[in-house]
Amino acid sequence: MTGSLFIASTVAFMIAATVLSMTFDWPDILREPADVVLPEFAAGGASLVWTWFAVAWTYAVLAVPILLLPTALARRGDAALRVATFLGAASVLLALIGFLRWVFVVPALADSYLNGDEGTRSAVAAAWTAQHQYGGALLGEHLGQLLAIGWSATVSVIILRSHVMPAWAGWLGLVASALYFVNQGDILATAVPGFPVWDLGGLLGSSLWGVWLIVLGVLLLLRVKGSRAR
C-alpha cells in the first residue's frame, strides 16, 4: 500500500501540475504582480479553480505513504525516521495550505480586482501581496519545501546506512534534495531583492524529487514481491 500510494499520488500530482502549467503558466506566474495574476486567474474561470483543487489534494495524498513508511521499512523504532516522518507530514500540510488559498482566497480577490475602481484595486493588490507572501512564499514554499527536503534527506541517509534499499536510491534522494534546496533562492528573492537565483533549480529539483518518490514506491513494491517469493 505504501509503495502504491507513493507512485499514485506522485503521478496524479504531476498530471494535475502539468495541466496547471499549461493553463496558468505555473509556477512562473507566481512571481508576477497582482495586475498580471488576478486578471489571468479570473480568465481561467471555474476550471482553473478545480485544477488548483486537484493539485492540492493529489499532493495531500502523499502524507499517507510518508506516515506509513517507517512501518513499511520495518523501522518504527528508528528515532531519526520517526522525527523525519512528522516533518514530512507537516510539509504536506503546509503545501496544502499554500495550494488551497487559490481555491478559497484568490477567487474573491480576483473578482474584487476586476470589478472595483482604482482605489479598490490598490487595496486588493495589497491584500493579494500579503496573502501570497504569507500563505504561498512563507508557508507553502519556504517552510513546506524545507521540511520536505529534510524528510527526503533523512530517509536517503537511512537507506545508505541501513541498506533497506539499494544504495543508489539513497544517493538519488540526496541529489534530489540538494537540487530542490536550490529553489529556496527563488523564494528568498521575493523578500530579499537581489538574492542569487538559479532559474532551473526549482524545475530540476522538484522533478527529480518526484522521480525519487516514484522510485521509492517501486522499490517498496519490489521489496514486498521479494519477501513473498522467499
Side-chain angles (χ1 to χ4, degrees):
M1 180 182 293
T2 305
S4 298
L5 285 174
F6 268 125
I7 297 170
S9 62
T10 303
V11 171
F13 174 76
M14 286 181 169
I15 293 172
T18 299
V19 172
L20 183 62
S21 180
M22 295 171 60
T23 57
F24 192 54
D25 195 29
W26 180 80
D28 292 341
I29 201 169
L30 297 179
R31 303 300 175 241
E32 298 292 341
D35 60 353
V36 173
V37 179
L38 295 180
E40 187 72 18
F41 181 88
S47 62
L48 180 57
V49 175
W50 282 113
T51 300
W52 273 109
F53 191 82
V55 167
W57 287 107
T58 52
Y59 191 83
V61 175
L62 184 60
V64 180
I66 286 176
L67 290 169
L68 292 176
L69 186 59
T71 300
L73 294 178
R75 298 189 64 85
R76 293 180 63 182
D78 190 318
L81 183 57
R82 187 162 58 247
V83 172
T85 297
F86 286 113
L87 295 181
S91 77
V92 176
L93 177 60
L94 291 171
L96 184 63
I97 292 173
F99 287 139
L100 286 179
R101 66 194 170 83
W102 292 93
V103 177
F104 296 102
V105 179
V106 178
L109 292 175
D111 183 67
S112 296
Y113 187 87
L114 288 183
N115 297 313
D117 54 23
E118 184 175 349
T120 299
R121 290 190 175 189
S122 296
V124 170
W128 152 260
T129 301
Q131 66 83 34
H132 188 56
Q133 286 299 109
Y134 181 72
L138 173 58
L139 297 183
E141 295 182 85
H142 181 59
L143 294 178
Q145 288 182 18
L146 282 181
L147 293 182
I149 292 166
W151 169 77
S152 58
T154 303
V155 170
S156 298
V157 171
I158 289 172
I159 290 173
L160 290 171
R161 296 184 63 181
S162 65
H163 309 293
V164 292
M165 287 182 179
W168 62 264
W171 289 116
L172 178 63
L174 288 178
V175 172
S177 299
L179 283 175
Y180 204 9
F181 180 76
V182 173
N183 188 52
Q184 288 294 309
D186 180 60
I187 301 167
L188 289 172
T190 65
V192 185
F195 195 91
V197 176
W198 182 31
D199 291 335
L200 287 177
L203 176 62
L204 293 177
S206 60
S207 298
L208 188 59
W209 197 76
V211 169
W212 178 73
L213 291 177
I214 294 174
V215 167
L216 199 63
V218 171
L219 290 176
L220 284 169
L221 292 178
L222 292 176
R223 178 186 173 94
V224 172
K225 184 178 179 180
S227 64
R228 287 177 178 173
R230 291 193 296 270

